[in-house]
Amino acid sequence: MIIDLSTLMRTAFPTEPLPDTFWIEGGAQAGGDIPHELVGRLAQRRWTDVTLYDWLMIGHPSSVRCFLHPDTFRYYLPSLLVGVLNDTSYLDWALDSLLPAGRRRRTDRPVWLQFWEGFSDTQRNAIRSYLKQVRELPDKAADPVERHLFEELDVVWGQVR
C-alpha cells in the first residue's frame, strides 16, 4: 500500500514548476523559528526532496499554513502525505493539513478557496484515494482523533470510505 500511494502522489503532483510566491500574501519573510525553518527546509526544493523529518523540524502544518502562500502549501503537501506513510503516528498532521483551518472548518474563506481551487481533478482524486487507504490502517481505526478528522474530511472532500 505504501508504495502504491507514494507512486500515486508522485504521479498526480508534478515537481515543476516550483511555486512563484513562497510567503502568504506575497509578503516578506516573518521573523521567528517557523519562517527560518521554512526557508531552510522547503524554499527552492522540490516537494519530492522534502521529508517527514523536515516537516517535524518546521512544525505542525496548521502553523505552517499561516506563513505559506496557499499555492506553496499545496505544492509541498504531497511531501507530508508521503512522509506520513512511513510513520503513521503523524497521520493526524496529514489529515489536518487537508482541512480548512479553524474549529468550524469554513470552506468559504479566500485562503482555503485559493488552496482548494488549485488542485486538479487528478490531484483531488489522488488525495481521496490516499484518504480511503489510510483510513483502513488497522492501528488508526480506533483512534478518536483520526476518527474525528476523517468525519470532517468526509464533509470537505466527499465520502472517502
Side-chain angles (χ1 to χ4, degrees), residues 20-86:
D20 290 331
T21 306
F22 193 75
W23 302 109
I24 197 161
E25 299 186 25
Q29 176 181 343
D33 291 339
I34 292 176
H36 176 75
E37 291 294 335
L38 285 169
V39 168
R41 296 184 181 277
L42 296 186
Q44 299 306 307
R45 292 179 69 192
R46 291 182 173 148
W47 76 259
T48 53
D49 297 331
V50 177
T51 66
L52 179 60
Y53 181 76
D54 290 315
W55 280 97
L56 297 177
M57 296 308 296
I58 294 167
H60 194 279
S62 62
S63 299
V64 170
R65 189 187 316 225
C66 298
F67 294 97
L68 293 180
H69 189 277
D71 295 341
T72 302
F73 188 75
R74 184 180 51 257
Y75 174 83
Y76 288 105
L77 175 64
S79 65
L80 176 61
L81 301 179
V82 170
V84 164
L85 294 173
N86 296 311

Side-chain angles (χ1 to χ4, degrees), residues 100-136:
R103 276 191 347 216
R104 295 182 189 205
R105 306 293 190 188
R106 290 186 45 204
T107 58
D108 60 346
R109 292 188 174 134
V111 171
W112 172 260
L113 290 171
Q114 186 171 2
F115 173 72
W116 176 261
E117 290 168 358
F119 286 108
S120 69
D121 289 339
T122 300
Q123 291 169 335
R124 286 189 186 133
N125 288 332
I127 289 173
R128 287 181 184 108
S129 293
Y130 175 93
L131 291 171
K132 182 177 181 177
Q133 290 187 47
V134 297
R135 182 181 221 149
E136 296 170 2

Side-chain angles (χ1 to χ4, degrees), residues 1 69 99 148:
M1 175 182 75
H69 189 277
L99 290 166
H148 177 73

